């Protein structure tokens, strides 16, 4: 999943460069889907970007941070903290993809941080709670 988010981010950023969407808020259309951007990179919002770059188009997730995932993968975006202790303040956006049996609050999954400043988003792992 980490490689999927990294490669998906690169592809969307390339599309943003082609479309001239590399500063401020914007969007691109990839494979018929509109993906929201900031500074040319997908935002960390689940509904409008992360689920598409993760290849989880059909996963509509808006549950609380402690709701356990019942699908193969779930995700949540527009957050300001990760269980591993990473915290941010606006305008940074954090999103996370986590496997079945875990919640956003568990340290098990792949996170995505868009600092909204033009720097490449950070994609990393939380693994302390993974079995």
């Amino acid at each position: 999943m980490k490689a999927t988010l990294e490669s998906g981010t690169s592809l969307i950023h390339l599309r943003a460069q082609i479309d001239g969407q590399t500063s401020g808020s914007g969007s691109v259309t990839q494979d018929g889907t509109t993906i929201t951007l900031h500074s040319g990179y997908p935002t960390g919002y689940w509904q409008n970007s992360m689920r598409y770059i993760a290849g989880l188009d059909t996963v509509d997730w808006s549950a609380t941070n402690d709701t356990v995932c019942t699908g193969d993968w779930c995700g949540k975006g527009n957050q300001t903290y990760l269980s591993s202790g990473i915290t941010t303040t606006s305008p940074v956006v954090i999103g996370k993809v986590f496997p079945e049996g875990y919640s956003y609050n568990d340290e098990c999954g792949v996170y995505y941080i868009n600092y909204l400043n033009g720097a490449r988003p950070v994609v990393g792992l939380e693994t302390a709670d993974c079995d």
Side-chain angles (χ1 to χ4, degrees):
M1 185 55 68
K2 183 176 186 275
T4 298
L5 285 176
E6 289 170 336
S7 63
T9 297
S10 293
L11 288 171
I12 297 305
H13 184 64
L14 180 59
R15 168 68 14 198
Q17 289 174 320
I18 292 168
D19 292 355
Q21 295 287 320
T22 56
S23 63
S25 298
S27 65
V28 295
T29 301
Q30 185 75 21
D31 298 327
T33 300
T34 300
I35 299 170
T36 59
L37 307 171
H38 198 289
S39 302
Y41 290 101
T43 62
Y45 294 95
W46 181 253
Q47 297 293 57
N48 300 323
S49 64
M50 281 198 60
R51 69 184 186 159
Y52 302 115
I53 62 173
L56 299 171
D57 308 27
T58 61
V59 177
D60 184 13
W61 191 259
S62 58
T64 62
N65 288 357
D66 60 353
T67 302
V68 174
C69 177
T70 58
D72 291 336
W73 289 95
C74 295
K76 189 158 180 72
N78 194 24
Q79 301 299 299
T80 58
Y81 74 92
L82 290 165
S83 300
S84 57
I86 296 172
T87 60
T88 65
T89 57
S90 184
V92 179
V93 180
I94 297 175
K96 181 174 161 184
V97 181
F98 45 95
E100 180 178 12
Y102 294 91
S103 74
Y104 183 89
N105 284 340
D106 294 318
E107 277 189 62
C108 187
V110 181
Y111 62 85
Y112 176 93
I113 303 174
N114 187 332
Y115 289 98
L116 307 183
N117 64 3
R120 182 170 184 74
V122 174
V123 179
L125 297 172
E126 285 189 308
T127 60
D129 292 336
C130 297
D131 293 333

